[in-house]
Amino acid sequence: MAQNLSPAATERLETWRKGGFLPAWAHTALDELVTAQAWEELEDRFFRDLTFGTGGMRGRIIGRKSAPIELGAGGLDNPAHPAVGANNLNDVTVTRATMGLFFSVKNAGTKGAPKIVIAHDVRHFSRYFAELVARVWTILGGEAWLFTGPRSTPQLSFTVRALGTDTGVVLTASHNPPHDNGYKVYASHGGQVVPPLADEIVTAVRAVKPEELGPVLKQATEAKGDVWKTVGTDVEKKYAESAAQVVLNPAKIVQGKPRVVYSALHGTGAVVIPGLLRTLGAEVSEVAAQMKFDGRFPTVPSPNPEDPRALAMMLDQAKITHAAVGLATDPDDDRIATAFREADGSYRALTGNEFGALLADYRFQQAKELGWLPPLGSERAVVLKSFVTTPLLDAIAHEHGGLCVNTLTGFKWMGAKLHKYEEQLLAGLAKAGDKRTAAQIAALPAKDRAELGLRHSAWLVLAAEESYGCLAGDTVRDKDANAAAAMAVEIAAWLAAQSLTATAALDNLYSRHGYHRESLRTLTFEGAAGVAQIQRVLASFRSDPPKSLGGRAVERALDFLNAEHRDEEGEVVPREDFLLYELAGGWRCAVRGSGTEPKLKLYFFAKEPLNKPTARPALEAALKPKLDAWMDAVAADAKQRAGP
């Protein structure tokens, strides 16, 4: 082994083999891989420990080369055991993470038994891992709540706050391929953990010793019966009600009765969205074949709503039913794709940037018409977005007298902002002699919460990311496709009432703020070698900084790792390995490594003046070849920097 693996992989593999914490099947799996001389596979499994990224901890549960005992009789469709390895998600890494999380919560001075609520999606081993987390937690002396079946990530975020638990975990790999799963951790305020809490958890996880891990894992995997409490139907009902409250003018949906086609892409969106939309007054047609829970995601090449291929069945059904809008959500139901009917009966699938722009503009307009906001707006009416999301949102917020705040990529940073706004609100109320708690505020009607936020801290108009995630309201602290589906139906009803299409509405925005075009290129680098290649690209951009990108001069380079930056509220932006280039002509390009996938991401932003809405098609056609050539050139440069 030492001749065929890196020193780091060899050391970890030996630690696992001799640590006394592996079940018998895992030893057999390692022996099978060594006998098969699957050195590249073993290197990928042991070159590092699985770490937290922008979406928590994600890893393979099925190796590129599996040991026969891991697959068992079920094969790839129903594997018997998750792939063993320090860099994979399996019994060991889940148990170790849960033990570290428990100790971190306990050491923080929690009163009484530490409390956790756990959710899971439909993937291979998701339920198994969720029950394992609950068993480990209770073995250590904590209290655990678990849902009766698959539930969405945003519902987990809501339930942490609703139950008042110290933390929450959802087992999901979001839109990743079927061979992945993940472990996402939430703080007591309902948002994903961020530093310094995330760092404390990582430190606690690393401190778990093999001699501590082994007995807990053995007891947890051999235990029988339910040791957890079940999340009650009353809490689930409150979540659905909160998702409906993001609709600013529900009468529009009742009056318009828009037809909707919806696909859950085999995921957890099937639990809430159909009933939610029908309750609001929409006519809903479900894509039956894609409403069935299935971790193989058999009807799509990818369960990612950003992938046009995933929308094929939904679009076909939309055409047949003449739906006003088609919707599709990813497996853990936090991302949504929207497709609106055009005047000729075709459907325009909006990008995450386009949908976010329509939502922000509409919500500002409606808030003013309904009296939630004054005519000139308020700087306490806030749009949250990531640096890699369209600058059009900045322009829309400014036009309406609001504030747009940019964050690092990942909704965890937006959740942290919402937590800060809540603390400011409670402090403002306390100063005025109002002793209401966060739970009491959350129980108020949405308009009353908005009024309090505008008076004491901030009101969230919209939070959005280019990667098809958005959020409105303050009872959830992560992107929420359930609430986004409700907002999409409200937009569809509004467009119909105005005799507008989504394209026409976007063209109106472009005529006011300039034509914005964004695109994303991803370069995939698998395994241990891939991690090194991604690091080489980012290091190269710093050691050999480009004077131009794709032929456009670099006017300003923002390095978020080695320089301090402050956001629009004056807060220091946390350090991250991320580069943003401002180029000639107002164009931009950003480079970052994905926190959840083995990918280097290149973000492109173009902006051109547009005098009138009708001029957009000609401008778009003329711009396309220039954009394509520009993006090709930048991607080629990045590949060259990656090396062999």
Side-chain angles (χ1 to χ4, degrees):
M1 286 188 298
Q3 295 175 350
N4 292 283
L5 298 177
S6 67
T10 301
E11 182 179 355
R12 283 192 183 86
L13 179 52
E14 284 302 289
T15 298
W16 275 53
R17 289 171 63 134
K18 298 176 181 178
F21 52 78
L22 288 183
W25 68 262
H27 282 288
T28 301
L30 291 176
D31 289 343
E32 289 174 343
L33 291 171
V34 171
T35 300
Q37 297 187 24
W39 306 122
E40 185 176 354
E41 177 68 18
L42 286 166
E43 180 70 26
D44 290 347
R45 292 187 183 206
F46 287 98
F47 80 99
R48 66 178 181 182
D49 290 318
L50 202 57
T51 56
F52 285 91
T54 57
M57 182 173 70
R58 291 189 196 176
R60 294 187 74 110
I61 48 173
I62 301 174
R64 279 189 292 276
K65 181 178 178 61
S66 295
I69 196 172
E70 291 173 340
L71 296 181
L76 291 172
D77 288 340
N78 188 24
H81 300 287
V84 63
N87 190 40
N88 295 342
L89 202 76
N90 48 49
D91 302 53
V92 174
T93 53
V94 167
T95 298
R96 188 182 185 198
T98 305
M99 292 177 69
L101 177 60
F102 180 90
F103 296 142
S104 176
V105 170
K106 189 174 182 179
N107 292 339
T110 300
K111 296 180 181 179
K115 299 176 177 62
I116 190 173
V117 58
I118 308 146
H120 64 87
D121 68 7
V122 304
R123 292 173 179 273
H124 297 306
F125 306 112
S126 282
R127 181 68 189 189
Y128 172 76
F129 287 148
E131 293 185 359
L132 179 61
V133 172
R135 295 185 192 284
V136 170
W137 198 265
T138 54
I139 287 169
L140 296 173
E143 295 180 25
W145 279 260
L146 185 60
F147 290 91
T148 57
R151 294 295 186 272
S152 68
T153 290
Q155 186 164 352
L156 183 280
S157 172
F158 175 89
T159 307
V160 167
R161 291 165 55 79
L163 292 178
T165 61
D166 300 295
T167 188
V169 165
V170 58
L171 283 304
T172 180
S174 188
H175 58 288
N176 281 31
H179 56 61
D180 287 350
N181 211 324
Y183 183 104
K184 191 183 295 187
V185 180
Y186 286 76
S188 60
H189 58 76
Q192 295 179 50
V193 293
V194 299
L197 178 57
D199 296 334
E200 293 169 3
I201 294 170
V202 170
T203 299
V205 171
R206 289 175 178 168
V208 175
K209 299 176 182 178
E211 57 267 27
E212 297 174 304
L213 174 62
V216 173
L217 176 57
K218 186 175 187 296
Q219 186 178 347
T221 53
E222 292 178 354
K224 304 294 182 183
D226 297 352
V227 298
W228 53 83
K229 301 175 183 179
T230 299
V231 177
T233 55
D234 57 331
V235 177
E236 299 214 51
K237 182 180 178 182
K238 287 179 182 177
Y239 168 69
E241 291 171 349
S242 77
Q245 284 191 13
V246 301
V247 174
L248 293 176
N249 196 338
K252 289 186 182 294
I253 301 176
V254 174
Q255 294 164 3
K257 295 182 174 59
R259 293 179 181 175
V260 183
V261 167
Y262 171 64
S263 169
L265 299 182
H266 303 287
T268 58
V271 176
V272 169
I273 288 179
L276 169 64
L277 299 186
R278 291 186 177 109
T279 298
L280 289 169
E283 296 181 10
V284 183
S285 172
E286 301 170 30
V287 182
Q290 295 181 328
M291 301 301 287
K292 301 172 183 176
F293 294 153
D294 194 330
R296 301 169 302 162
F297 313 113
T299 65
V300 291
S302 163
N304 186 354
E306 296 179 71
D307 186 340
R309 300 172 299 172
L311 310 183
M313 293 181 71
M314 178 268 282
L315 291 172
D316 286 344
Q317 191 160 318
K319 292 172 186 174
I320 294 171
T321 60
H322 303 286
V325 62
L327 308 172
T329 54
D330 68 343
D332 72 321
D333 192 26
D334 62 355
R335 299 171 191 246
I336 190 167
T338 60
F340 290 85
R341 193 168 190 264
E342 294 289 287
D344 63 358
S346 64
Y347 286 82
R348 173 167 178 167
L350 302 186
T351 66
N353 284 316
E354 291 169 338
F355 183 51
L358 279 185
L359 274 180
D361 189 54
Y362 170 79
R363 289 179 64 80
F364 270 117
Q365 290 181 35
Q366 283 297 299
K368 291 178 179 179
E369 289 181 18
L370 295 169
W372 293 35
L373 281 177
L376 295 180
S378 167
E379 284 201 351
R380 289 184 172 179
V382 174
V383 170
L384 297 175
K385 63 177 277 288
S386 65
F387 287 104
V388 296
T389 300
T390 177
L392 181 56
L393 283 170
D394 299 80
I396 291 169
H398 179 74
E399 177 190 30
H400 286 288
L403 178 68
C404 186
V405 181
N406 285 268
T407 72
L408 295 174
T409 303
F411 250 78
K412 64 182 182 182
W413 303 111
M414 301 185 202
K417 284 286 187 183
L418 291 175
H419 179 49
K420 183 197 77 170
Y421 297 154
E422 181 179 70
E423 290 184 322
Q424 290 175 341
L425 169 60
L426 293 174
L429 290 174
K431 189 175 182 180
D434 190 330
K435 298 182 179 180
R436 280 179 290 182
T437 65
Q440 290 172 324
I441 299 299
L444 295 173
K447 184 177 180 180
D448 293 348
R449 298 200 307 273
E451 182 181 344
L452 289 174
L454 290 167
R455 188 187 310 161
H456 295 289
S457 57
W459 172 57
L460 179 69
V461 179
L462 184 73
E465 276 196 330
E466 49 77 35
S467 53
Y468 289 55
C470 60
L471 172 70
D474 53 5
T475 59
V476 171
R477 300 290 165 82
D478 207 341
K479 50 186 178 288
D480 186 348
N482 298 307
M487 290 191 288
V489 172
E490 185 180 11
I491 287 283
W494 172 74
L495 288 172
Q498 302 294 315
S499 298
L500 281 175
T501 63
T503 294
L506 284 168
D507 286 347
N508 287 337
L509 280 174
Y510 295 146
S511 67
R512 283 149 46 195
H513 304 295
Y515 176 66
H516 287 68
R517 179 78 176 188
E518 299 84 23
S519 191
L520 170 68
R521 294 283 181 92
T522 58
L523 305 179
T524 301
F525 302 94
E526 293 282 3
V531 171
Q533 286 178 300
I534 292 171
Q535 292 172 345
R536 275 202 298 272
V537 174
L538 293 165
S540 173
F541 272 111
R542 292 189 172 92
S543 63
D544 183 19
K547 295 181 179 179
S548 67
L549 284 172
R552 286 198 167 253
V554 174
E555 295 184 343
R556 187 185 180 204
L558 303 177
D559 185 344
F560 286 82
L561 182 63
N562 295 321
E564 181 178 283
H565 299 276
R566 292 183 179 269
D567 65 23
E568 290 76 4
E569 294 177 321
E571 289 194 323
V572 175
V573 178
R575 301 292 177 106
E576 185 173 277
D577 201 355
F578 165 54
L579 295 158
L580 177 63
Y581 297 95
E582 296 178 357
L583 310 177
W587 291 24
R588 295 182 182 179
C589 181
V591 184
R592 61 176 287 271
S594 171
T596 57
E597 299 173 279
K599 294 178 178 179
L600 181 78
K601 295 195 172 186
L602 306 172
Y603 301 85
F604 300 93
F605 308 86
K607 179 184 175 183
E608 293 291 322
L610 183 68
N611 296 325
K612 54 185 179 180
T614 54
R616 191 268 310 158
L619 172 62
E620 189 173 64
L623 195 58
K624 187 179 186 307
K626 297 179 183 178
L627 284 170
D628 289 343
W630 175 49
M631 293 187 293
D632 288 344
V634 176
D637 181 17
K639 287 179 182 177
Q640 185 176 14
R641 292 172 184 266

